[in-house]
């Protein structure tokens, strides 16, 4: 079942023994904490890994104003941009040198394809990411709502364990490289 931002926050609140919320603006302490901490925690977690479900590619629009130094062209970053993974030209998403400055990317070619981590809708998060985000949110919500630092520390460790597990699951979704040219196999023949 796909969860919304409210659903993710509610599950995290339940984990720490707090009351679930139905909206970020409902006027409770739980809703206020969730509204303040949810977006930054989500974006930080999405940025922390090259998640397959959040990886995007886009041809960036070139800006009219050229960079002051180092590169010939400036490009506008996508609205959902969180972290660059690579940039390329001629239909490739990697292989070029570039620099990100503010909300622009500077590079030499006239056209550029950016491979990046974007911000997908919460409904598109896979179940393994839901679990790590709920664990991270529970750790973030714990001190403001319970003032229990030892419990917050335990929740942070649990969130790190969930993060490692989620990264492992996500990494297994790519095709695994095989041995194409291995001299020991050739020597046996």
């Amino acid at each position: 079942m796909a969860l919304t931002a409210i659903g993710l926050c509610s599950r995290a609140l339940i984990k720490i023994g707090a009351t679930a919320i139905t909206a970020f603006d409902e006027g409770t302490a739980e809703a206020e904490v969730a509204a303040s901490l949810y977006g930054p925690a989500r974006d930080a977690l999405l940025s922390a890994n090259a998640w397959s479900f959040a990886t995007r590619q886009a041809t960036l629009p070139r800006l009219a104003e050229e960079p002051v130094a180092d590169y010939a062209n400036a490009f506008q970053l996508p609205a959902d941009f969180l972290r660059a993974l690579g940039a390329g030209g001629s239909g490739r998403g990697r292989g070029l040198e570039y620099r990100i400055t503010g909300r622009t990317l500077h590079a030499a070619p006239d056209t550029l394809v950016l491979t990046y981590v974007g911000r997908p809708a919460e409904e598109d998060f896979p179940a393994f990411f839901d679990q790590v985000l709920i664990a991270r949110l529970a750790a973030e919500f714990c001190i403001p709502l319970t003032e229990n630092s030892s419990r917050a520390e335990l929740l942070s460790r649990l969130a790190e364990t969930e993060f490692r597990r989620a990264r492992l699951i996500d990494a297994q979704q790519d095709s695994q490289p095989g041995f194409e040219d291995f001299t020991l196999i050739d020597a046996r023949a």
Side-chain angles (χ1 to χ4, degrees), residues 94-114:
R94 62 175 191 245
L96 287 179
E97 286 186 30
Y98 62 92
R99 176 180 300 129
I100 294 177
T101 306
R103 296 290 304 160
T104 63
L105 184 143
H106 297 176
D110 291 337
T111 60
L112 187 128
V113 174
L114 178 68

Side-chain angles (χ1 to χ4, degrees), residues 3 25 27 50 70 84-85 99 107 136 159 176:
L3 294 174
D25 60 358
D70 298 329
L85 299 175
R99 176 180 300 129
R136 171 56 45 210
Q176 301 300 313

Side-chain angles (χ1 to χ4, degrees), residues 1-11 14 121-131 134:
M1 179 174 103
L3 294 174
T4 63
I6 297 296
L8 291 162
C9 289
S10 290
R11 289 199 179 176
I14 290 168
E122 283 80 357
E123 295 80 13
D124 295 332
F125 293 167
F128 64 85
F129 188 79
D130 284 347
Q131 293 308 307
I134 290 166

Side-chain angles (χ1 to χ4, degrees), residues 15-16 23 27 41-43 57 71 75 101 116-117 133 156 189:
K15 276 189 170 253
I16 63 169
R42 175 204 57 211
D43 289 354
Q57 287 189 317
Y71 294 101
F75 300 88
T101 306
Y116 68 101
V117 174
L133 182 54
S156 289

